[in-house]
């Protein structure tokens, strides 16, 4: 088993291959995973099983999965420091998910806000959309993760994971660590450039001017930022006022990339002449952050043997944790395994 420092927190944090990674994924999540990979033990599955809760084009899904692994490495996720792998390659996730399906009351799932939102006004809703928080619980619990960095929208699912773990522990004896949700303080939510009341999302990336894809060329990035919705106040400062959400979003993006404080960011714009200047400077920092990432991404995606071998390495590492844990769970539940006579 890989060596692990007992003092390090164990983090489980996934990302769906539901499209090209967008700036919100990077600033709200991936950048933090990279910054913290020396001080914590990261498990980073590309959660392809989660992405099929809504219809996906099979060829596109397969391409997106590979592309996302390459992009994560290009963003700085180091396969030597973080366990980066593809969820569906580790069958223990699906097996544990089934076992937890059998111990979780359906009412717990029906209460999930994201389920209510995503199923609202849908004629047909897949069972997977309802039960996907159980798969998420399995992803977390199989690695004994103690922290799960999430956006506000996923907090409820981590709380559900705790309930699921607690219930299993009560039924079968102490088995799972109870994880806690951690919401990053800065850059927790990047909003759509076209509509700053909605979070930036991969699946809305087809809407012109909504998202910045990590694969957009510099001209496209500049155009998107220049088109971003602002307001008529013409004042460059952070604000919780809904009407100023567009400017607040641009400043937030600038802040996360530069790592500056609120005051330092506002001071940077003291001499700015209106929102045109704000947009130009935000565009500059975004492009200079993304350009080297794109360069590394293209090197990797064009070298499939290197990429495949990194994926294999991550899968092997993940299995070294997941398979023995699943074995313990199977034993507790009383499912027969060759060479084992019981709990
Ligand atoms: N706009 C955002 N701002 C900050 N963080 C974000 N994340 C996503 N969008 C933003 C964070 O990125 C991580 C991976 O997300 P995910 O792919 O697992 O699912 P998601 O949150 O549903 O991301 P998308 O881009 O909106 O995907 P689709 O369109 O498929 O639903 C998570 O930590 C998430 O919080």
């Amino acid at each position: 088993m890989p060596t692990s420092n007992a003092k390090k927190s164990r983090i489980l944090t996934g990302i769906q291959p539901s499209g090209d990674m967008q700036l919100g994924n990077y600033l709200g999540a991936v950048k933090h995973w990279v910054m913290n990979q020396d001080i914590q033990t990261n498990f980073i599955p590309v959660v392809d099983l989660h992405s099929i809760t809504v219809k996906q084009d099979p060829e596109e899904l397969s391409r997106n999965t590979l592309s996302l692994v390459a992009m994560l490495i290009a963003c700085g996720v180091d396969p030597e420091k973080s366990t980066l792998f593809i969820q569906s390659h580790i069958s223990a996730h699906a097996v544990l998910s089934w076992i937890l399906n059998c111990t979780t009351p359906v009412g717990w799932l029906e209460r999930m806000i994201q389920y209510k939102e995503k199923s609202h006004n849908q004629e047909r809703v897949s069972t997977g959309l309802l039960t996907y928080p159980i798969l998420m619980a399995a992803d977390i619990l199989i690695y004994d993760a103690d922290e799960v960095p999430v956006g506000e929208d996923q907090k409820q699912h981590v709380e559900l994971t705790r309930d699921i773990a607690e219930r299993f522990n009560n039924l079968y004896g102490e088995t799972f660590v109870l994880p806690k949700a951690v919401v990053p303080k800065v850059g927790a939510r990047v909003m759509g450039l076209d509509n700053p009341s909605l979070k930036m999302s991969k699946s809305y990336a087809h809407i012109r001017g909504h998202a910045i894809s990590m694969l957009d060329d510099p001209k496209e990035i500049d155009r998107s930022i220049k088109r971003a919705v602002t307001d008529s106040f013409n004042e460059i400062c952070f604000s919780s006022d809904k009407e100023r959400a567009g400017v607040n979003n641009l400043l937030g993006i600038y802040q996360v990339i530069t790592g500056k404080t609120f005051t330092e960011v506002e001071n940077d714009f003291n001499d700015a002449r209106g929102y045109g200047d704000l947009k130009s400077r935000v565009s500059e920092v975004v492009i200079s952050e993304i350009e080297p990432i794109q360069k590394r991404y293209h090197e990797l995606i064009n070298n499939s043997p290197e990429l495949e071998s990194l994926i294999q390495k991550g899968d092997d590492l993940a299995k070294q944790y997941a398979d023995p844990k699943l074995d313990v769970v199977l034993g507790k539940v009383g499912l027969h395994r060759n060479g084992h006579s019981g709990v």
Side-chain angles (χ1 to χ4, degrees), residues 15-16 18 22 24-25 28-29 151 188-190 199-203:
I15 181 160
Q16 298 187 62
S18 44
Q22 41 88 7
N25 301 127
R189 219 169 153 89
V190 176
K199 88 167 176 125
M200 191 179 278
S201 263
K202 293 183 218 87
S203 36

Side-chain angles (χ1 to χ4, degrees), residues 99 103 167-175 329 332-334 343:
I99 293 170
T103 57
R167 188 179 176 92
F168 188 97
N169 289 350
N170 287 338
L171 288 170
Y172 294 106
E174 213 50 42
T175 310
V329 175
K332 296 243 175 171
V333 177
V343 184

Side-chain angles (χ1 to χ4, degrees), residues 13-30 33 45 47 50-51 54 56 68 114 118 132 149-154 184 187-192 198-205 210 249:
T13 182
I15 181 160
Q16 298 187 62
S18 44
D20 290 335
M21 193 198 288
Q22 41 88 7
L23 190 69
N25 301 127
Y26 173 64
L27 296 182
V30 179
W33 308 344
V47 287
H50 283 286
S51 64
V54 292
Q56 301 284 340
L68 188 53
Q114 211 175 63
K118 289 197 175 177
Y132 117 91
V150 283
E152 287 290 343
D153 54 329
Q154 287 287 337
R189 219 169 153 89
V190 176
M191 311 309 281
L198 277 182
K199 88 167 176 125
M200 191 179 278
S201 263
K202 293 183 218 87
S203 36
Y204 299 141
H210 168 76
N249 190 34

Side-chain angles (χ1 to χ4, degrees), residues 246-264:
V247 169
N248 195 62
N249 190 34
L250 291 174
L251 288 174
I253 291 171
Y254 181 92
Q255 181 182 31
V256 183
I257 294 179
T258 58
K260 295 185 176 181
T261 63
F262 288 94
T263 315
E264 285 167 345

Side-chain angles (χ1 to χ4, degrees), residues 327 330-332 334-343:
D327 219 33
L330 295 174
K332 296 243 175 171
L335 299 170
H336 178 262
R337 294 144 301 138
N338 276 341
H340 293 262
S341 54
V343 184

